[in-house]
Amino acid sequence: MHAITVPQPGGPDALVWAEVPDPTPCPNEVIVDVAATAVNRADLLQRQGRYPPPPGAPPYLGLECSGVISEVGAEVSHHRVGDQVCALLAGGGYAERVAVPAGQLLPVPAGLSLVDAAALPEVACTVWSNVVKLAGLRAGESLLVHGGGSGIGTFAVQLGAALGAVVLTTARAAKHEQLRALGAHHTIDYTAEDFVARARKLTGDGDGGVDVILDIIGAGYLERNVETLATGGRLVIIGLQGGRKAELNLGALLAKRGTIFATALRSRPIAEKAEIVRRVHDQVWPLVASGAIRPVIDRRLPLSQAARAHRVVEGSDHLGKVLLVAGEESALS
């Protein structure tokens, strides 16, 4: 088979379309012939040599995929050759075939194409596990989503709105209309506005606060995120785009009885991922099937053009996911 490889870490041109060995399934795995995968920020970091795959994961990039099962391991009983699926991966999606633990498979949601289903597994599992399971977002509460125009952001905006939360999001002004169409009640231009003051004003009479914040920035926003929290608020940090280290005013956090979580999905044990996938299937997939949540796809490119896709994601103009489609005949843009 062929896969996108990284012989030497570097920029997008470090990605090389090469012939590699075919995967073989372990007893609890299936082989998926990949129809499409999606570009995530973790892929950019792995390409740069800053985010190696966890032990036992394929060496290739790609944290999710969609496709058709072509082989089934000896201990797999609930999936068959020919099933159309999408999957949460620890790596390996940038390839023509990938081995997947059976517990990390999801059916293609009703009404969604096989290719477009590749945009959902990683964002759905990340957002649900952090916003719902960990932070416990409830109807009537407020949710602030940083980076609303990203794949994570566009999904989190929709899920928060579907759950009955008041959704605020930060993004460049050019993306505000589309984010409001996805369900955001309030949009904040982080390049021109103080998101702390604006969020507090929007959630109260000048002294409000946000119940749950989903943050991809990390250190650069830590102090301001704590300031933005409501009493009993929960801050969930899932990215470090703004740095790894910052001072934390514990007095401010204590005064608000706030909670800070910092999590990663990729490195979790297979059993934990399987439980998250099961809950996503039960709680989120019906929202996708009903149309309350849809994948937001900026563009689709051939898998062999992964370097071009990485350049798009490294920019700031795209909205939602960039998909990589297997097969040169699928040269979509």
Side-chain angles (χ1 to χ4, degrees):
M1 72 171 186
H2 286 81
I4 297 293
T5 62
V6 188
Q8 294 292 332
D13 290 334
L15 301 175
V16 177
W17 179 242
E19 189 169 356
V20 298
D22 283 333
T24 55
C26 294
N28 66 339
E29 292 181 332
V30 306
I31 299 298
V32 173
D33 290 351
V34 174
T37 186
V39 179
N40 291 285
R41 192 153 294 272
D43 300 328
L44 309 185
L45 295 174
Q46 184 173 336
R47 186 203 75 217
Q48 296 163 6
R50 298 165 55 197
Y51 192 13
Y60 318 117
L61 283 61
L63 300 184
E64 58 195 327
C65 75
S66 62
V68 178
I69 295 176
S70 59
E71 293 183 49
V72 175
E75 296 178 4
V76 176
S77 58
H78 298 295
H79 300 280
R80 299 286 183 270
V81 171
D83 287 351
Q84 293 193 351
V85 295
C86 52
L88 177 69
L89 308 174
Y94 287 27
E96 293 177 322
R97 308 180 81 210
V98 63
V100 186
Q104 292 170 215
L105 295 169
L106 286 156
V108 174
L112 206 61
S113 73
L114 180 61
V115 165
D116 288 358
L120 286 177
E122 194 273 340
V123 292
C125 291
T126 296
V127 173
W128 180 88
S129 64
N130 286 289
V131 170
V132 178
K133 183 176 185 292
L134 197 58
L137 180 69
R138 298 181 292 273
E141 290 193 316
S142 53
L143 168 68
L144 171 59
V145 179
H146 286 303
S150 66
I152 289 286
T154 52
F155 190 93
V157 165
Q158 294 180 87
L159 181 61
L163 295 176
V166 176
V167 180
L168 302 81
T169 186
T170 60
R172 294 177 182 271
K175 301 179 182 181
H176 287 192
E177 183 178 352
Q178 292 161 295
L179 290 170
R180 287 192 291 268
L182 291 175
H185 298 87
H186 306 289
T187 51
I188 303 169
D189 182 359
Y190 68 90
T191 69
E193 301 176 87
D194 175 5
F195 75 77
V196 179
R198 181 83 190 286
R200 293 182 66 171
K201 183 177 182 179
L202 289 168
T203 53
D205 296 327
D207 192 32
V210 174
D211 296 301
V212 176
I213 300 175
L214 184 66
D215 178 52
I216 60 173
I217 301 299
Y221 276 8
L222 180 60
E223 181 179 2
R224 286 183 285 169
N225 277 333
V226 171
E227 189 178 350
T228 306
L229 286 175
T231 300
R234 292 86 75 195
L235 166 62
V236 188
I237 301 170
I238 61 170
L240 301 172
Q241 294 181 33
R244 296 170 174 266
K245 296 182 180 181
E247 276 195 11
L248 173 62
N249 183 342
L250 290 174
L253 189 65
L254 285 168
K256 295 192 174 189
R257 301 191 296 279
T259 304
I260 299 177
F261 302 97
T263 74
L265 179 61
R266 187 182 193 185
S267 58
R268 295 192 189 202
I270 289 175
E272 285 189 26
K273 291 180 183 177
E275 177 61 16
I276 291 169
V277 166
R278 185 180 70 81
R279 295 295 187 90
V280 165
H281 177 258
D282 292 345
Q283 298 181 27
V284 179
W285 254 221
L287 297 173
V288 178
S290 72
I293 295 176
R294 62 178 177 84
V296 178
I297 299 169
D298 185 88
R299 68 192 71 189
R300 304 163 185 83
L301 297 170
L303 179 57
S304 59
Q305 293 186 21
R308 178 182 169 193
H310 275 223
R311 291 189 184 95
V312 172
V313 174
E314 286 179 334
S316 59
D317 295 333
H318 70 287
L319 184 84
K321 284 295 189 80
V322 174
L323 296 188
L324 293 170
V325 184
E328 293 302 320
E329 70 280 2
S330 301
L332 307 172
S333 59

